[in-house]
Amino acid sequence: MASNYNAKEEDGHQPAAIGHGGAGTVKNKKPDNTAFKQQRLPAWQPILTAGTVLPAFFVIGLIFIPIGIGLFVTSNNIKELEVTLTNYSVWLAIFHPCYNCSQSYSWNSTKPCTCSVPFSLDQPFESNVFMYYGLSNFYQNHRRYVKSRDDSQLNGDKASLKSPSKECEPYRTSDEKPIAPCGAIANSLFNDTLELYYIDPNGSRTAIPLVKKGIAWWTDKHVKFRNPGGNDNLTVVFQGTSKPVNWRKSVYELDPSDPDNNGFINEDFIVWMRTAALPTFRKLYRIIHKKPNMTPTLPLGRYILEVTYNYPVRSFEGRKRMILSTISWMGGKNPFLGIAYITVGSVCFFLGIVLLIIHHKYGNRNHSADIRS
Amino acid sequence: MVVVELLLVELLLLLVELLLLLLVVELLLLVVVESLLVVELLLLLVVELSLLVVESLLLVELLLVVVELLVVVVRVRVVVVRVVELLLLLVVVVRVVEFLLLVVRVVVRVVVRVVVRVVVRVLPKGDMLSGKKRCEERHVRANDRDYNEKFPYADNHIRTCKYNVFTFLPINLFEQFQRAANAYFLVLLILQLIPEISSLSWVTTTVPLVMVLLITAVKDATDDYFRYKSDQQVNSRQSQVLRGNLQNEKWMNVRVGDIIKLENNHFVTADILLLSSSEPYGLCYIETAELDGETNLKVRQALTVTSDLGADITKLVDFNGEVICEPPNNKLDKFTGTLYWRDNKYPLDNEKMLLRGCVLRNTEWCFGMVVFAGLQTKLMQNCGRTKFKRTSIDKLMNTLVLWIFGFLVCMGVILAIGNTIWEQKVGRSFSVYLLWDEPIRNNNVVFSGFLTFWSYIIILNTMVPISLYVSVEVIRLGHSYFINWDRKMYYIQKDTPAEARTTTLNEELGQVEFIFSDKTGTLTQNIMVFNKCSINGKSYGDVYDEFGHKVEITERTACVDFSFNPLSDRKFKFHDHSLLEAIKMEEPSVQDFFRLLALCHTVMPEEKNEGDLVYQAQSPDEGALVTAARNFGFVFRSRTPETVTLYEMGTAVNYQLLAILDFNNVRKRMSVIVRNPAGHIKLYCKGADTIIFDRLDPSNHVLMNTTSEHLYEFAGEGLRTLALAYKDLDENVLEEWMKRLLYASTVIENREEGLADLYEEIETGLMLLGATAVEDKLQEGVPETIACLTLANIKIWVLTGDKLETAMNIGYSCNMLRDDMNEVFIISGHSVLEVQQQLRLGLMVMKQTLSHHYTYDFSDDSVFEETIIAEYALIINGHSLAHALEPELEQVLLETACLCKTVICCRVTPMQKAQVVELVKTNKMAVTLAIGDGANDVSMIKTAHIGVGISGQEGMQAVLASDYSFAQFRYLQRLLLVHGRWSYFRMCNFLFYFFYKNFAFTLVHFWFGFFCGFSAQTVYDQWFITLFNIVYTSLPVLAMGLFDQDVNEANSHRYPSLYRPGQLNVLFNKRQFFLCTLQGVGTSFLLFFIPYGAFCLVARDDGSHISDQQAFAVIISTSLVIVVSVQIGLDTYYWTAVNHVFVWGSLAVYFAILFAMHSDGLFSIFPSHFPFIGTARNCLTQKSVWLVIMLTTVACVMPGLAVRFLKTDLYPTLTDKVRSLQQASRKLGPKEQNLRRVRRTSSRRSAYAFSHQQGYGELITSGKNMKRKGETPVACVSAEAYGTSGTSEGNTRTQQTVMDSNVVSNGAIQT
């Protein structure tokens, strides 16, 4: 791009004399003899040979298959039970205990609708049992949904409390008062109440204690979410803000019983605010702790799930579930991982064998023999 | 009567014409007052408005109104007409009058407009635009600043820098955004600022864009600064300007019209008109190497009237001549002008001009008047901007980027349609939880799709990452530095390292298929060395040891000691002592031999200090011969028009020069007739052996045979030979002959023939003295280099301005032509038909042999060998080439030439060189490389894909035009086979990996689109998207692009066939691109769906779920970074420490940044910018997460690995083979390498190769350049005035040179 003309070159023959070498030092232009400049850096030069590639395949196969089997077995040992709260199978829908609720309920309803779903466990659940609610076809990962929150506000920033971020639109203000917490995510907080009862063989119902502490990530609960001005006097702090449109109660009334679980640091709220990656998801609802004695956490038998049906999903063909699950070292039940490991491992192993055969039959074991230069 | 009528008619016509002329003049005036017309127009408008008030529905008037085409008027009319209709009858009269007026005005206006338009078109644009006085000619008055300043002439200040401090930012930014890529990212940035579609924060594009702009800006700024510095340096050079008296001035203060003084060896300040000089007749010598690359001296002569001014300051100050000349142009060899002085007109031409860039030589001082200065000088007018060359990879890359862009749009459309459907089916009902935005809420899902399209364009833009262009540039820059740093391409004698002057062409060096080489100065050193001689039947020059065996002459062989001779040239080397002994023995034949060499030539001596002789020879071989004579004690010391002074073994001997029978191409010999102090008259003749042998006295028969044998021997070694002979002349015979000569030289008709006959007559019955052998020294290693490049399947064509014989000679000596070649076709036809016939014949012969071999090919394997041996060569002459390059023949030429192993074009003009290159370039779709050293190679260097200049020589023109320069031809081998090959290999690997990486990275969003309602939600953290290309993955791939080596340099040299893949372009092409796309798509698929499958359900080991978006993002991005790092590990062949540091470092940096960004600290400072707090901690502590990452990595990498293994195992390329060999040999330790040696096996007799430029003969004999004035020169043979070129040969030659320099300048214009 530069112009062809260069004064130094026009000037001719001894550019070194005017060069930057200083007065009188004519510098030799010979390039330095360094390994870097001469491209002689010492280097490791691996080659893909049968001796390195084939063992790699076998080793991977031999490692992956056992891991896969282990994962698969672990996953199978995890006990899991899913209870559907809505059922859209057209023919069976009307037989579902929550059919009426799901049909009639909308955000405008004033009276809560309740229904009880009976189910039974074929085998006892040992150790801690985790209770999830699951939603399907619920797009928590939609772009407009995801961005519709104000992290500063949730972190207890007072300025943001009064004037939430624009991202929250159209859930930013209501009646010209800022919404706390603002945004679509908070607005659509899951607000069904689930209660679990064990039906004794004699027919009496025993409520199973559901623990709501420890369901959110520690970092979320303690760092990311904070109430403005500490946890005291939330009513005062949230003065002048409006509750989200869909909510029945204000944010400071989420759990009046426990100040450490109220307001923005309410764990149910925090769990909801951690948006799911996929439209079908589960969120931890409650934990059923292991009993100190040797009896199983959830003995086998009949149970009833009492649902206070507040959360309408029918309109967008969503589905609600309640899941009870135990946990292992690798987390919850997840047959995919085990199967995937076994598959990949065997494919690698098989590929290794195929490559070995090909190599022995057709391969060039002596490359250098036939070089014509 | 009829005649009278006719006359009348003619008169009338004349009158009409006059009137018309007047009209034209009038109209021209109208042009000047066009601005007034605008005002008038406005007035007219008002008039018309008032007219409309009284307008009827008259058709004519309506038409006129239409002519006006004023919409406003029309609108007004509609309203007004109705109102005023009532008044119509009352004002009819008024209206008619006004109407007439209007007609006149409108007609005038229309006519004026038309004429103005015509005039504007006819006149040259610049004149109208500048509005200045037409400057078709240039008026410059000497010593009259006030007069000259009336014109907008440039001063001598030059400025090649583009910016200054204030304009840098706007101009540079403007330039940068003209690049498609930058503009593209700017558009993206703007898109991202629209909240509705912004799927990424604007930071993700801004950060890389700003970095790119910044880097480029810094580079541009430094470049420009250096240009500014060099401008400054040139501008502040000192020169002596006449301002009443001589004053020192900086160059930039010199103005047009100034008279300046130049001194010897100084650069010419501007384009000046030579007024007077220290030399007689106002002669002055210049060297134009900087201008046109020719190193020989050129003569310029001032007008006689001005040369009389001499160095007389008062006269010069009074000089007030006015030069009227052509406007500035770039024709180096043309100048037309007139000097008006003292009421006289003197024509000026190029012979009176000294151009900027020349150097004054052999002239103490001279005065000149500045005609063109600064940017208007011919040198600066020739400095066009260099054409921006692009590599084929570049073009491919641009096509691919376009494809990708198309692909991007396609995906955008798919996802947008998906979005429309989704919003319609699901989004509508989901609006319970997620209200539609304002624009979509009006039930317009298509609009949502439209917005989504743009959002996805933003998200997916990383498929063409901005860092691609930067990385490519960085890699090329690195490769260029490696070339600059290469010690094996550094020439110690000239202290010249190789230089990559263009940093954008490196990978093309690995794809060259055709090399076009100049001969002189490129293949040869342009140094003639007196190597051997045969005197009186005895051969000298070889060295024998004590046993009588011939000894190879090396650097260490003892040289003959010339110290007895104080006037000897120290640089002259001769190894055979016997010759000096013969001289010392005063053998008459030896003495005569060297006396001849010292007398018979047209060399000009220059003796600055006592004994410091410098010869100015027209051709180097003549110089070599005179220098040889000088060293052997026959020193040519000085000459006058009629005498030559020799120092024969220390004593001065004066010879009277009676005649020079000058050289030309037909005669192929030259003679001098001298009278020695003893009064004997002798004719000395040197020339082509065959010519001389024909004119020998029969008594020489035996000697001739021996000499002939020696000549054969010399020629076999590739030496240029001359035979020498003398003749004693009788005084009477000579006198009579001289009379006839004088008569013949005054005859106008058939003068040349007459002279030639006379010469012929006297050059008979010669006595043979011996023969000389001059070596046209090839550059070191040329035959080896050519052999090696040929093995690499590169075709080398030699394009030279030399004669056929010389070119063939060189062809043989550098092994391009061999005796064992089947046939050498020599095309030297003078007409199209002849050339066509010769070409077709050659083609036929070759095709026959080839097809012949083909038929055998299938039956017998051994015959195949023969096809390889069937080698042909094509040698084509300049005038034949002119015909062959015509459109109807060029295909035949190309076909023939490409079948031949060797192609040599001789006697070609620079223009033809460029044409040949262009022919191959356009028709063969091959990468061409042109290498040369002189200005006549510039056009070829600029035309070819890659231009290489030989530096370290005197002329810089070729180097300035070139893309690469180095000092020796042999470095070409290293440049192509090592640097070029590596560059190509690295660039291809880089591109392959880079595209793969970005597809894998970006397409995850596509898959995710199906699960997030096509909402353009990103999978990754925004910061990750920003940093992925510029931080996490940039350095390893850069390291690979910079340092990777598949095969080491020794093996690159040893197996030239390794160069083949580059020529076939197999390492990166559309197929490879498709493969890397496929791999990228596959990887992105696995990268998304394995975590998808795993995280549909997975829970942490504390029961809480990690299938949330942030965890998902961390897992996929971590897998991606690991997969991509593993992949580059597999792609890297050469793991230096840098690669290790970069690969591992990038991984480490990724995790460091990940944890930093997800830390509590950053979150507490910017809660809304780092919402990923804690995700890394919560996620990467989970075993299941690592299991997923491991699975993904293995699944992504293994298929590619298997394919690659199969490829190398089943179909190993030569590269693979050499690699494994290399590894094996490394294990064995260093091995003795057998270097190929190319032996010359030519036994061909070389022909007479003499200077093809006319000598100073005429100048010498006319005495013009001698210091002695006032004496009339003696009767001389070539009595024609200098420059009128008596022979036809001379004529064609001058035309040739004119053409050459035309081409040179044209070459510059093209840029």
Side-chain angles (χ1 to χ4, degrees), chain A residues 62-355:
Chain A
L62 290 177
I63 292 174
F64 270 39
I65 294 172
I67 292 180
I69 293 168
L71 283 173
F72 191 68
V73 170
T74 320
S75 170
N76 273 353
N77 283 340
I78 292 169
K79 298 185 184 74
E80 194 178 89
L81 179 99
E82 196 168 305
V83 179
T84 315
L85 302 185
T86 50
N87 198 338
Y88 276 97
S89 154
V90 180
W91 298 109
L92 297 172
I94 47 167
F95 300 113
H96 197 278
C98 291
Y99 176 72
N100 284 332
C101 284
S102 67
Q103 285 300 303
S104 59
Y105 192 77
S106 76
W107 285 113
N108 304 330
S109 314
T110 44
K111 205 169 69 148
C113 177
T114 54
C115 54
S116 334
V117 188
F119 67 95
S120 59
L121 293 180
D122 301 337
Q123 44 186 330
F125 280 27
E126 315 281 346
S127 77
N128 287 350
V129 176
F130 296 85
M131 184 181 187
Y132 303 96
Y133 59 89
L135 289 171
S136 300
N137 212 19
F138 191 101
Y139 284 83
Q140 261 208 322
N141 58 2
H142 195 281
R143 180 167 58 87
R144 280 185 286 115
Y145 187 85
V146 170
K147 70 173 185 181
S148 186
R149 64 192 283 160
D150 184 349
D151 279 316
S152 309
Q153 192 191 44
L154 297 173
N155 193 36
D157 186 59
K158 279 186 179 161
S160 300
L161 185 70
K162 296 293 179 223
S163 63
S165 155
K166 286 204 175 54
E167 302 281 359
C168 285
E169 289 288 4
Y171 303 100
R172 188 163 165 256
T173 52
S174 138
D175 304 330
E176 293 176 355
K177 276 195 283 186
I179 296 178
C182 76
I185 311 178
N187 188 54
S188 55
L189 175 69
F190 182 78
N191 59 355
D192 277 6
T193 317
L194 305 175
E195 282 160 2
L196 198 58
Y197 295 96
Y198 175 66
I199 313 280
D200 281 332
N202 55 22
S204 62
R205 283 162 46 145
T206 325
I208 292 172
L210 302 173
V211 179
K212 54 185 168 185
K213 271 209 162 180
I215 57 172
W217 287 4
W218 186 91
T219 44
D220 283 356
K221 168 109 182 169
H222 295 97
V223 185
K224 196 171 179 182
F225 289 81
R226 262 186 290 176
N227 278 325
N231 294 343
D232 310 321
N233 269 330
L234 291 182
T235 329
V236 182
V237 174
F238 286 103
Q239 200 78 51
T241 61
S242 168
K243 68 180 170 58
V245 215
N246 283 1
W247 285 21
R248 288 174 195 288
K249 38 191 182 182
S250 298
V251 66
Y252 50 86
E253 293 162 347
L254 284 174
D255 188 358
S257 61
D258 183 358
D260 283 337
N261 195 26
N262 204 0
F264 289 153
I265 55 168
N266 177 275
E267 291 201 28
D268 281 328
F269 174 68
I270 292 173
V271 166
W272 180 255
M273 290 305 284
R274 184 156 281 280
T275 54
L278 300 163
T280 301
F281 60 88
R282 293 172 176 187
K283 281 181 189 290
L284 186 56
Y285 185 66
R286 293 291 181 264
I287 304 172
I288 307 164
H289 281 295
K290 200 169 84 175
K291 286 173 187 161
N293 47 19
M294 290 305 286
T295 52
T297 324
L298 289 180
L300 84 185
R302 293 194 301 128
Y303 292 84
I304 275 192
L305 180 68
E306 285 284 346
V307 184
T308 316
Y309 206 107
N310 289 327
Y311 203 70
V313 288
R314 192 184 71 97
S315 61
F316 57 92
E317 297 175 26
R319 285 196 292 143
K320 270 197 278 190
R321 304 169 333 277
M322 189 281 299
I323 301 107
L324 291 172
S325 171
T326 57
I327 279 294
S328 74
W329 60 271
M330 56 162 279
K333 196 180 183 72
N334 189 358
F336 173 86
L337 208 52
I339 293 169
Y341 258 91
I342 294 172
T343 316
V344 170
S346 8
V347 164
C348 275
F349 197 81
F350 182 68
L351 252 178
I353 293 171
V354 169
L355 290 181

Side-chain angles (χ1 to χ4, degrees), chain B residues 305-306 308-309 315 318-322 339-346:
Chain B
V305 276
T306 56
D308 290 342
L309 295 170
K315 274 191 197 168
D318 288 340
F319 178 71
N320 62 350
E322 182 172 348
L339 174 69
Y340 291 84
W341 189 38
R342 295 183 184 153
D343 304 327
N344 276 328
K345 285 211 282 191
Y346 305 95

Side-chain angles (χ1 to χ4, degrees), chain B residues 390-514:
Chain B
R390 306 177 82 189
T391 64
S392 48
I393 291 272
D394 241 340
K395 284 173 206 149
L396 178 65
M397 211 161 80
N398 275 3
T399 329
L400 295 183
V401 166
L402 273 183
W403 282 14
I404 293 176
F405 194 74
F407 187 51
L408 181 72
V409 171
C410 282
M411 284 202 301
V413 168
I414 292 172
L415 292 165
I417 291 171
N419 179 267
T420 311
I421 295 168
W422 187 88
E423 291 287 354
Q424 182 68 37
K425 297 245 170 192
V426 184
R428 183 184 298 279
S429 39
F430 191 61
S431 60
V432 192
Y433 293 114
L434 181 61
L435 278 179
W436 275 344
D437 281 342
E438 204 61 57
I440 319 167
R441 223 173 292 160
N442 309 329
N443 241 341
N444 196 349
V445 284
V446 179
F447 186 67
S448 153
F450 174 75
L451 291 182
T452 309
F453 172 76
W454 292 109
S455 305
Y456 268 112
I457 293 287
I458 294 172
I459 289 196
L460 300 175
N461 83 74
T462 40
M463 276 200 289
V464 193
I466 198 162
S467 55
L468 172 68
Y469 292 93
V470 187
S471 311
V472 165
E473 289 309 313
V474 168
I475 287 174
R476 284 179 178 157
L477 192 72
H479 293 173
S480 303
Y481 272 105
F482 282 132
I483 290 174
N484 294 348
W485 285 333
D486 196 338
R487 280 163 80 90
K488 287 177 182 149
M489 300 206 315
Y490 165 80
Y491 190 53
I492 195 144
Q493 268 96 330
K494 292 263 170 69
D495 189 29
T496 324
E499 189 189 358
R501 299 174 50 83
T502 316
T503 56
T504 54
L505 293 176
N506 296 313
E507 72 267 8
E508 193 120 291
L509 288 173
Q511 298 184 284
V512 173
E513 273 184 73
F514 286 89

Side-chain angles (χ1 to χ4, degrees), chain B residues 1118-1139:
Chain B
T1118 310
S1119 313
L1120 175 70
V1121 170
I1122 292 175
V1123 166
V1124 157
S1125 298
V1126 171
Q1127 192 66 42
I1128 200 161
L1130 290 173
D1131 283 349
T1132 306
Y1133 288 105
Y1134 194 78
W1135 281 81
T1136 62
V1138 183
N1139 293 70

Side-chain angles (χ1 to χ4, degrees), chain B residues 845-1004:
Chain B
V845 170
M846 277 191 288
K847 278 198 173 158
Q848 257 174 4
T849 2
L850 286 180
S851 58
H852 181 69
H853 288 307
Y854 260 120
T855 49
Y856 274 97
D857 222 347
F858 303 100
S859 53
D860 194 350
D861 238 58
S862 63
V863 187
F864 183 69
E865 291 294 305
E866 224 178 309
T867 22
I868 298 166
I869 298 170
E871 286 179 355
Y872 295 91
L874 180 77
I875 298 172
I876 184 161
N877 225 328
H879 44 83
S880 311
L881 193 62
H883 296 304
L885 283 173
E886 275 166 29
E888 66 264 30
L889 271 185
E890 59 177 27
Q891 288 307 324
V892 186
L893 170 73
L894 193 68
E895 204 181 335
T896 318
C898 289
L899 280 176
C900 287
K901 198 93 178 161
T902 300
V903 178
I904 297 178
C905 305
C906 34
R907 276 291 192 199
V908 290
T909 62
M911 177 64 115
Q912 284 177 331
K913 286 187 179 185
Q915 279 174 338
V916 172
V917 175
E918 188 70 46
L919 177 73
V920 175
K921 193 174 150 186
T922 49
N923 288 308
K924 293 300 270 189
M925 308 296 279
V927 178
T928 55
L929 180 146
I931 177 167
D933 72 318
N936 56 347
D937 306 317
V938 168
S939 58
M940 157 171 104
I941 284 173
K942 282 191 173 170
T943 310
H945 290 104
I946 302 164
V948 179
I950 300 286
S951 56
Q953 315 274 333
E954 277 172 64
M956 291 294 290
Q957 209 74 357
V959 173
L960 286 181
S962 68
D963 305 307
Y964 297 91
S965 70
F966 42 71
Q968 292 276 295
F969 180 78
R970 72 187 132 106
Y971 297 150
L972 191 61
Q973 183 183 346
R974 192 172 168 79
L975 184 73
L976 297 185
L977 295 192
V978 179
H979 288 285
R981 215 184 74 81
W982 278 349
S983 273
Y984 175 70
F985 163 77
R986 288 166 181 170
M987 188 57 75
C988 291
N989 256 13
F990 166 81
L991 286 178
F992 189 95
Y993 174 76
F994 207 87
F995 281 122
Y996 154 77
K997 178 187 88 175
N998 283 295
F999 273 104
F1001 165 57
T1002 309
L1003 287 183
V1004 172

Side-chain angles (χ1 to χ4, degrees), chain B residues 498-728:
Chain B
E499 189 189 358
R501 299 174 50 83
T502 316
T503 56
T504 54
L505 293 176
N506 296 313
E507 72 267 8
E508 193 120 291
L509 288 173
Q511 298 184 284
V512 173
E513 273 184 73
F514 286 89
I515 293 178
F516 298 92
S517 172
D518 177 39
K519 185 195 75 71
T520 320
T522 307
L523 297 176
T524 64
Q525 299 178 0
N526 204 18
I527 296 176
M528 300 294 166
V529 179
F530 179 81
N531 208 314
K532 283 176 187 174
C533 60
S534 156
I535 303 170
N536 203 15
K538 189 172 185 305
S539 169
Y540 297 95
D542 287 324
V543 183
Y544 298 90
D545 59 14
E546 55 264 42
F547 310 109
H549 296 299
K550 209 163 150 183
V551 178
E552 189 116 347
I553 291 174
T554 60
E555 299 262 306
R556 271 165 291 163
T557 315
C559 291
V560 175
D561 180 25
F562 291 111
S563 55
F564 73 93
N565 182 358
L567 289 170
S568 67
D569 186 354
R570 304 264 170 270
K571 280 175 282 182
F572 184 81
K573 282 192 177 125
F574 200 75
H575 302 280
D576 189 358
H577 294 269
S578 58
L579 187 57
L580 193 63
E581 279 155 29
I583 288 264
K584 286 184 175 162
M585 303 283 282
E586 298 192 359
E587 270 183 40
S589 58
V590 177
Q591 284 188 331
D592 244 8
F593 180 88
F594 284 112
R595 191 172 293 130
L596 186 150
L597 290 183
L599 285 171
C600 178
H601 55 78
T602 55
V603 171
M604 295 290 299
E606 190 185 336
E607 193 166 0
K608 281 176 192 155
N609 310 311
E610 181 69 23
D612 183 14
L613 266 175
V614 177
Y615 292 139
Q616 295 290 349
Q618 266 304 70
S619 77
D621 38 4
E622 217 176 28
L625 293 177
V626 181
T627 309
R630 167 182 169 184
N631 275 42
F632 282 104
F634 287 78
V635 186
F636 166 61
R637 192 99 187 243
S638 64
R639 69 155 86 228
T640 64
E642 67 272 27
T643 61
V644 174
T645 309
L646 300 190
Y647 271 66
E648 293 184 2
M649 306 308 287
T651 48
V653 185
N654 236 331
Y655 289 87
Q656 201 179 347
L657 183 64
L658 299 174
I660 296 178
L661 286 67
D662 210 353
F663 165 84
N664 76 28
N665 259 5
V666 184
R667 286 164 39 74
K668 298 189 176 179
R669 62 188 183 268
M670 80 164 284
S671 309
V672 288
I673 301 174
V674 292
R675 190 200 306 270
N676 64 13
H680 300 296
I681 299 171
K682 281 200 178 193
L683 179 139
Y684 290 110
C685 180
K686 67 174 178 188
D689 43 13
T690 46
I691 304 274
I692 300 281
F693 286 0
D694 284 348
R695 288 164 180 74
L696 288 183
D697 195 78
S699 62
N700 286 299
H701 186 69
V702 181
L703 179 59
M704 195 175 93
N705 281 347
T706 8
T707 312
S708 191
E709 256 168 53
H710 291 154
L711 279 171
Y712 230 80
E713 214 173 279
F714 297 158
E717 291 166 35
L719 305 175
R720 296 180 178 211
T721 55
L722 279 180
L724 311 183
Y726 75 98
K727 182 187 181 183
D728 291 310

